[in-house]
Amino acid sequence: MSIQVKTSPPYYMLEEIHSQPEWVDRLFQQSDKDPVLQKVLQKLKNKKRIFFTGCGTSHYTAQAGAALARHLLQEANPVQSVPAAELYHHWELSTEDALLAVTHAGETHMVLELLKKARKCGALTVVLTGFPDSQAARNASYVLSTGYALEKSWAHTISFTLGAALLLVVSAHLAESRGYTVPWETIRSGPEQIQQVLDQSARIQEQAKAFLSKEKWLVAGTGTSLATAHETALKVVETSYIPAIPLDLEQVLHGFLAGCDPKTLLLVSAPFASQQERVQELIRAAEKISLSLLFLAPSGLLHQTPRLPVPECHPLLVPLVHTTATHLFVYYRTVCKGMNPDLIRRDQAPYAAARKEYR
Ligand SMILES: O=P(O)(O)OC[C@H]1O[C@](O)(CO)[C@@H](O)[C@@H]1O
């Protein structure tokens, strides 16, 4: 489908971020009665290893999914996320493995190659996609649809969130089938919590304006927010064309401060009580080098430090809720700079030509 380019705000990226609560809700309702999901869960029961995989944003979706599975399944967790090309080139697969490949459009070269390899090795192949008629879907044993067969902006946002929501459902069922208690009510409050972030759009826009002069970003996350850090860094690179490094919270303190100066923004999603002491140390260290910090934290926390407004949320909802806040922050940062976030530079001849050089 070809979609007309927007030449002024609001761009498609914003429209798609705002439509998330509705589509996540729809996905939760549909997955409840999806017979394919039941079959997949049945097949997953006997698998020793389950790989969540993908490329680009979809790899970060897989990373979010694996962190959620780890949280839900604890010591019984068979899930790990590995980028598609790494799995393809460097891993042996067998009949004891299952591959859940996230690919929004379902045409990504490396994912297609990996699916072929996995099928040859006898691994179970499942594709999670917005396009159930895509090549990837045709190359898999099972297809789970995110329900969203659009992505009008090249800066993918809603497909990250829907993919993560779908992997959350898969992981929650997996955990239940292995005897763990799943907080379904909390999970189902996801759309409402995303909406709470969207209701803070004006404030997030103000924050974006306040940090416009920051020309390089570090983005830190931990546990279920680590994928948020990776996805946020990718999104700001794609839309604002500035360097951004994603890191786990601890790693920031091991060398990366040397590269920071007053032009750097360190955006941190670390909502877990066990790490608050480390967060305080980071805040003190940042002050010494005039490094600007912005935390994703509920009101009442971190009074002195600027924060992006997010509600208090369960670790299982962090990838959906915090990433919505950072997606909005990135959107406004880019638009306030007078740029169009939808195009990821594919409107510029050298970048369009570069894209033609690889499948
Ligand atoms: O999700 P797909 O369709 O496999 O596409 C791969 C990735 O490439 C990008 O479009 C650009 O890196 C991502 O946003 C996307 O997830």
Side-chain angles (χ1 to χ4, degrees), residues 55-58 102-108 111 154 156 234-235 238 344 346:
C55 296
T57 299
S58 290
V102 183
T103 171
H104 176 61
E107 305 293 341
T108 300
V111 172
W154 279 107
H156 286 184
L234 170 63
K235 217 71 339 164
E238 282 182 315
I344 64 168
R346 296 207 177 154

PDB file of all heavy atoms in Angstrom, residues 55-58 102-108 111 154 156 234-235 238 344 346, ligand 1:
ATOM      1  N   CYS A  55      14.794  -8.358  13.141  1.00  0.00           N
ATOM      2  CA  CYS A  55      15.802  -7.369  12.739  1.00  0.00           C
ATOM      3  C   CYS A  55      15.271  -5.971  13.069  1.00  0.00           C
ATOM      4  O   CYS A  55      14.058  -5.755  13.054  1.00  0.00           O
ATOM      5  CB  CYS A  55      16.047  -7.405  11.231  1.00  0.00           C
ATOM      6  SG  CYS A  55      16.738  -8.937  10.626  1.00  0.00           S
ATOM      7  N   GLY A  56      16.179  -5.024  13.301  1.00  0.00           N
ATOM      8  CA  GLY A  56      15.768  -3.634  13.546  1.00  0.00           C
ATOM      9  C   GLY A  56      14.823  -3.514  14.728  1.00  0.00           C
ATOM     10  O   GLY A  56      15.009  -4.174  15.762  1.00  0.00           O
ATOM     11  N   THR A  57      13.794  -2.698  14.572  1.00  0.00           N
ATOM     12  CA  THR A  57      12.809  -2.544  15.645  1.00  0.00           C
ATOM     13  C   THR A  57      12.283  -3.902  16.094  1.00  0.00           C
ATOM     14  O   THR A  57      12.084  -4.140  17.293  1.00  0.00           O
ATOM     15  CB  THR A  57      11.623  -1.682  15.149  1.00  0.00           C
ATOM     16  OG1 THR A  57      12.111  -0.407  14.780  1.00  0.00           O
ATOM     17  CG2 THR A  57      10.557  -1.525  16.215  1.00  0.00           C
ATOM     18  N   SER A  58      12.063  -4.763  15.138  1.00  0.00           N
ATOM     19  CA  SER A  58      11.478  -6.069  15.483  1.00  0.00           C
ATOM     20  C   SER A  58      12.422  -6.905  16.342  1.00  0.00           C
ATOM     21  O   SER A  58      11.972  -7.728  17.142  1.00  0.00           O
ATOM     22  CB  SER A  58      11.085  -6.833  14.218  1.00  0.00           C
ATOM     23  OG  SER A  58       9.981  -6.189  13.628  1.00  0.00           O
ATOM     24  N   VAL A 102       9.740 -12.112  14.817  1.00  0.00           N
ATOM     25  CA  VAL A 102       8.903 -10.911  14.720  1.00  0.00           C
ATOM     26  C   VAL A 102       9.315 -10.183  13.444  1.00  0.00           C
ATOM     27  O   VAL A 102      10.494  -9.906  13.228  1.00  0.00           O
ATOM     28  CB  VAL A 102       9.136  -9.971  15.930  1.00  0.00           C
ATOM     29  CG1 VAL A 102       8.201  -8.769  15.864  1.00  0.00           C
ATOM     30  CG2 VAL A 102       8.970 -10.722  17.242  1.00  0.00           C
ATOM     31  N   THR A 103       8.367  -9.907  12.583  1.00  0.00           N
ATOM     32  CA  THR A 103       8.660  -9.123  11.389  1.00  0.00           C
ATOM     33  C   THR A 103       7.388  -8.401  10.976  1.00  0.00           C
ATOM     34  O   THR A 103       6.410  -9.040  10.571  1.00  0.00           O
ATOM     35  CB  THR A 103       9.231  -9.972  10.235  1.00  0.00           C
ATOM     36  OG1 THR A 103       9.290  -9.171   9.059  1.00  0.00           O
ATOM     37  CG2 THR A 103       8.454 -11.242   9.972  1.00  0.00           C
ATOM     38  N   HIS A 104       7.417  -7.085  11.129  1.00  0.00           N
ATOM     39  CA  HIS A 104       6.171  -6.364  10.892  1.00  0.00           C
ATOM     40  C   HIS A 104       5.657  -6.575   9.469  1.00  0.00           C
ATOM     41  O   HIS A 104       4.530  -7.014   9.262  1.00  0.00           O
ATOM     42  CB  HIS A 104       6.316  -4.879  11.204  1.00  0.00           C
ATOM     43  CG  HIS A 104       5.073  -4.144  10.870  1.00  0.00           C
ATOM     44  ND1 HIS A 104       3.878  -4.446  11.481  1.00  0.00           N
ATOM     45  CD2 HIS A 104       4.807  -3.188   9.940  1.00  0.00           C
ATOM     46  CE1 HIS A 104       2.928  -3.698  10.952  1.00  0.00           C
ATOM     47  NE2 HIS A 104       3.461  -2.926  10.021  1.00  0.00           N
ATOM     48  N   ALA A 105       6.505  -6.282   8.479  1.00  0.00           N
ATOM     49  CA  ALA A 105       6.042  -6.390   7.091  1.00  0.00           C
ATOM     50  C   ALA A 105       6.170  -7.808   6.548  1.00  0.00           C
ATOM     51  O   ALA A 105       5.541  -8.167   5.553  1.00  0.00           O
ATOM     52  CB  ALA A 105       6.818  -5.422   6.214  1.00  0.00           C
ATOM     53  N   GLY A 106       7.022  -8.603   7.189  1.00  0.00           N
ATOM     54  CA  GLY A 106       7.145 -10.016   6.784  1.00  0.00           C
ATOM     55  C   GLY A 106       7.957 -10.228   5.529  1.00  0.00           C
ATOM     56  O   GLY A 106       7.863 -11.273   4.877  1.00  0.00           O
ATOM     57  N   GLU A 107       8.791  -9.246   5.160  1.00  0.00           N
ATOM     58  CA  GLU A 107       9.581  -9.377   3.930  1.00  0.00           C
ATOM     59  C   GLU A 107      11.071  -9.170   4.201  1.00  0.00           C
ATOM     60  O   GLU A 107      11.854  -9.017   3.260  1.00  0.00           O
ATOM     61  CB  GLU A 107       9.113  -8.334   2.883  1.00  0.00           C
ATOM     62  CG  GLU A 107       7.624  -8.372   2.542  1.00  0.00           C
ATOM     63  CD  GLU A 107       7.195  -9.649   1.810  1.00  0.00           C
ATOM     64  OE1 GLU A 107       8.057 -10.345   1.251  1.00  0.00           O
ATOM     65  OE2 GLU A 107       5.982  -9.965   1.850  1.00  0.00           O
ATOM     66  N   THR A 108      11.485  -9.134   5.431  1.00  0.00           N
ATOM     67  CA  THR A 108      12.879  -8.819   5.771  1.00  0.00           C
ATOM     68  C   THR A 108      13.803  -9.989   5.433  1.00  0.00           C
ATOM     69  O   THR A 108      13.594 -11.121   5.892  1.00  0.00           O
ATOM     70  CB  THR A 108      12.968  -8.438   7.274  1.00  0.00           C
ATOM     71  OG1 THR A 108      12.127  -7.312   7.466  1.00  0.00           O
ATOM     72  CG2 THR A 108      14.372  -8.095   7.702  1.00  0.00           C
ATOM     73  N   VAL A 111      15.354 -12.444   8.030  1.00  0.00           N
ATOM     74  CA  VAL A 111      14.321 -13.252   8.703  1.00  0.00           C
ATOM     75  C   VAL A 111      13.880 -14.391   7.781  1.00  0.00           C
ATOM     76  O   VAL A 111      13.715 -15.543   8.212  1.00  0.00           O
ATOM     77  CB  VAL A 111      13.118 -12.362   9.119  1.00  0.00           C
ATOM     78  CG1 VAL A 111      11.962 -13.196   9.638  1.00  0.00           C
ATOM     79  CG2 VAL A 111      13.556 -11.342  10.159  1.00  0.00           C
ATOM     80  N   TRP A 154       7.753   5.343   8.507  1.00  0.00           N
ATOM     81  CA  TRP A 154       8.904   4.437   8.461  1.00  0.00           C
ATOM     82  C   TRP A 154       9.523   4.272   9.835  1.00  0.00           C
ATOM     83  O   TRP A 154      10.256   3.316  10.073  1.00  0.00           O
ATOM     84  CB  TRP A 154       9.964   4.967   7.481  1.00  0.00           C
ATOM     85  CG  TRP A 154       9.654   4.657   6.057  1.00  0.00           C
ATOM     86  CD1 TRP A 154       9.222   5.539   5.104  1.00  0.00           C
ATOM     87  CD2 TRP A 154       9.744   3.384   5.416  1.00  0.00           C
ATOM     88  NE1 TRP A 154       9.040   4.882   3.920  1.00  0.00           N
ATOM     89  CE2 TRP A 154       9.361   3.558   4.080  1.00  0.00           C
ATOM     90  CE3 TRP A 154      10.113   2.104   5.852  1.00  0.00           C
ATOM     91  CZ2 TRP A 154       9.335   2.524   3.161  1.00  0.00           C
ATOM     92  CZ3 TRP A 154      10.090   1.066   4.946  1.00  0.00           C
ATOM     93  CH2 TRP A 154       9.699   1.276   3.620  1.00  0.00           C
ATOM     94  N   HIS A 156       8.961   2.952  12.884  1.00  0.00           N
ATOM     95  CA  HIS A 156       7.973   2.013  13.425  1.00  0.00           C
ATOM     96  C   HIS A 156       7.796   2.194  14.933  1.00  0.00           C
ATOM     97  O   HIS A 156       8.775   2.175  15.676  1.00  0.00           O
ATOM     98  CB  HIS A 156       8.424   0.578  13.154  1.00  0.00           C
ATOM     99  CG  HIS A 156       8.265   0.176  11.724  1.00  0.00           C
ATOM    100  ND1 HIS A 156       8.534  -1.091  11.276  1.00  0.00           N
ATOM    101  CD2 HIS A 156       7.843   0.871  10.651  1.00  0.00           C
ATOM    102  CE1 HIS A 156       8.295  -1.151   9.969  1.00  0.00           C
ATOM    103  NE2 HIS A 156       7.872   0.034   9.576  1.00  0.00           N
ATOM    104  N   LEU A 234      17.402   3.609  18.656  1.00  0.00           N
ATOM    105  CA  LEU A 234      17.172   3.411  17.209  1.00  0.00           C
ATOM    106  C   LEU A 234      16.236   4.495  16.670  1.00  0.00           C
ATOM    107  O   LEU A 234      16.468   5.086  15.608  1.00  0.00           O
ATOM    108  CB  LEU A 234      16.582   2.014  16.947  1.00  0.00           C
ATOM    109  CG  LEU A 234      16.077   1.749  15.521  1.00  0.00           C
ATOM    110  CD1 LEU A 234      17.208   1.817  14.499  1.00  0.00           C
ATOM    111  CD2 LEU A 234      15.385   0.390  15.423  1.00  0.00           C
ATOM    112  N   LYS A 235      15.168   4.763  17.435  1.00  0.00           N
ATOM    113  CA  LYS A 235      14.148   5.698  16.932  1.00  0.00           C
ATOM    114  C   LYS A 235      14.704   7.111  16.787  1.00  0.00           C
ATOM    115  O   LYS A 235      14.396   7.797  15.819  1.00  0.00           O
ATOM    116  CB  LYS A 235      12.954   5.674  17.891  1.00  0.00           C
ATOM    117  CG  LYS A 235      11.619   5.789  17.282  1.00  0.00           C
ATOM    118  CD  LYS A 235      11.054   4.638  16.484  1.00  0.00           C
ATOM    119  CE  LYS A 235      11.904   3.603  15.901  1.00  0.00           C
ATOM    120  NZ  LYS A 235      11.346   2.381  15.464  1.00  0.00           N
ATOM    121  N   GLU A 238      16.966   7.205  13.749  1.00  0.00           N
ATOM    122  CA  GLU A 238      16.189   7.157  12.496  1.00  0.00           C
ATOM    123  C   GLU A 238      15.497   8.480  12.179  1.00  0.00           C
ATOM    124  O   GLU A 238      15.355   8.842  11.017  1.00  0.00           O
ATOM    125  CB  GLU A 238      15.101   6.069  12.587  1.00  0.00           C
ATOM    126  CG  GLU A 238      15.602   4.652  12.395  1.00  0.00           C
ATOM    127  CD  GLU A 238      14.465   3.632  12.447  1.00  0.00           C
ATOM    128  OE1 GLU A 238      13.597   3.736  13.344  1.00  0.00           O
ATOM    129  OE2 GLU A 238      14.450   2.733  11.595  1.00  0.00           O
ATOM    130  N   ILE A 344      12.627   8.493   7.751  1.00  0.00           N
ATOM    131  CA  ILE A 344      13.952   7.953   8.093  1.00  0.00           C
ATOM    132  C   ILE A 344      14.974   8.167   6.951  1.00  0.00           C
ATOM    133  O   ILE A 344      15.713   7.282   6.596  1.00  0.00           O
ATOM    134  CB  ILE A 344      13.906   6.512   8.646  1.00  0.00           C
ATOM    135  CG1 ILE A 344      13.399   5.469   7.674  1.00  0.00           C
ATOM    136  CG2 ILE A 344      13.076   6.427   9.905  1.00  0.00           C
ATOM    137  CD1 ILE A 344      13.644   4.011   8.144  1.00  0.00           C
ATOM    138  N   ARG A 346      14.631   8.398   3.843  1.00  0.00           N
ATOM    139  CA  ARG A 346      14.490   7.731   2.536  1.00  0.00           C
ATOM    140  C   ARG A 346      14.060   8.703   1.441  1.00  0.00           C
ATOM    141  O   ARG A 346      13.984   8.351   0.279  1.00  0.00           O
ATOM    142  CB  ARG A 346      13.513   6.560   2.662  1.00  0.00           C
ATOM    143  CG  ARG A 346      14.105   5.531   3.611  1.00  0.00           C
ATOM    144  CD  ARG A 346      13.654   4.154   3.395  1.00  0.00           C
ATOM    145  NE  ARG A 346      14.392   3.302   4.346  1.00  0.00           N
ATOM    146  CZ  ARG A 346      13.969   2.161   4.792  1.00  0.00           C
ATOM    147  NH1 ARG A 346      12.814   1.676   4.393  1.00  0.00           N
ATOM    148  NH2 ARG A 346      14.692   1.449   5.626  1.00  0.00           N
TER     149      ARG A 346
HETATM  150  O1  LIG B   1       9.822  -5.589  11.113  1.00  0.00           O
HETATM  151  P1  LIG B   1      10.282  -5.853   9.755  1.00  0.00           P
HETATM  152  O2  LIG B   1       9.221  -5.684   8.706  1.00  0.00           O
HETATM  153  O3  LIG B   1      10.975  -7.194   9.645  1.00  0.00           O
HETATM  154  O4  LIG B   1      11.361  -4.776   9.381  1.00  0.00           O
HETATM  155  C1  LIG B   1      12.625  -4.752   9.958  1.00  0.00           C
HETATM  156  C2  LIG B   1      12.980  -3.448  10.601  1.00  0.00           C
HETATM  157  O5  LIG B   1      13.492  -2.504   9.749  1.00  0.00           O
HETATM  158  C3  LIG B   1      13.071  -1.191  10.151  1.00  0.00           C
HETATM  159  O6  LIG B   1      12.057  -0.743   9.337  1.00  0.00           O
HETATM  160  C4  LIG B   1      14.186  -0.214  10.030  1.00  0.00           C
HETATM  161  O7  LIG B   1      15.272  -0.602  10.788  1.00  0.00           O
HETATM  162  C5  LIG B   1      12.508  -1.410  11.525  1.00  0.00           C
HETATM  163  O8  LIG B   1      11.726  -0.425  12.030  1.00  0.00           O
HETATM  164  C6  LIG B   1      11.855  -2.726  11.280  1.00  0.00           C
HETATM  165  O9  LIG B   1      11.488  -3.388  12.416  1.00  0.00           O
END
